[in-house]
Amino acid sequence: MFRLDFRQRFSQAIVFALLSIGITLAIVTAMRARPYAIMEVVAENLVFRGNNPTLYAEPGSKVSLIFRNEALGIKHHLAIEGLDVATDVLRPGESQEINFSVPQRDTVLTYGCYLHPMMKGKFVIGSWHY
């Protein structure tokens, strides 16, 4: 019968341990590098396109929000209440991308253009649908 000596068994154990560590590091890196959820919000005159649509995100996800101002002659900005998330004030034709992480809890927040209080929508984190 084929028997391995101590050095061979030790070498195999080291190789197995290094492979396990490598696989674990690859998985962790892939999880950290997962792509952002991409959202786009467009200001058109005094409403966000789609009649101030509700935005949805999964708890703990990463979001890349693209805000475009397509209003004619009106400046706008976008902020999400309860998060430290806001764009600059944009002139017509300008856009800005902001990246942020969503809280780990289910909640409903409000986003809006606080230059124009009627421009508000819901930002739903979790599976709540209103």
Side-chain angles (χ1 to χ4, degrees):
M1 176 172 212
F2 180 72
R3 289 186 56 121
L4 299 175
D5 68 11
F6 174 76
R7 286 184 185 170
Q8 291 171 321
R9 286 184 291 186
F10 184 74
S11 295
Q12 286 180 343
I14 294 295
V15 169
F16 179 75
L18 291 174
L19 283 172
S20 296
I21 291 169
I23 290 169
T24 302
L25 289 174
I27 290 170
V28 168
T29 301
M31 288 176 68
R32 285 186 184 163
R34 67 181 161 186
Y36 282 84
I38 299 172
M39 298 179 182
E40 184 175 56
V41 178
V42 179
E44 296 179 322
N45 298 325
L46 295 176
V47 69
F48 294 112
R49 182 179 288 163
N51 198 24
N52 301 328
T54 299
L55 306 176
Y56 295 94
E58 293 296 319
S61 65
K62 296 178 181 181
V63 173
S64 179
L65 190 143
I66 302 162
F67 177 59
R68 293 190 351 242
N69 183 0
E70 293 185 2
L72 300 175
I74 304 171
K75 293 180 181 179
H76 289 292
H77 94 296
L78 185 140
I80 301 174
E81 287 182 11
L83 299 179
D84 189 21
V85 173
T87 66
D88 298 329
V89 174
L90 302 181
R91 291 181 288 222
E94 293 182 327
S95 66
Q96 184 177 357
E97 180 176 338
I98 53 177
N99 299 305
F100 59 96
S101 294
V102 174
Q104 290 286 349
R105 68 189 188 289
D106 288 359
T107 189
V108 179
L109 305 172
T110 300
Y111 74 92
C113 173
Y114 298 107
L115 298 173
H116 308 101
M118 74 292 279
M119 293 179 69
K120 287 187 178 181
K122 292 180 183 175
F123 186 84
V124 177
I125 300 170
S127 57
W128 303 352
H129 296 281
Y130 293 98

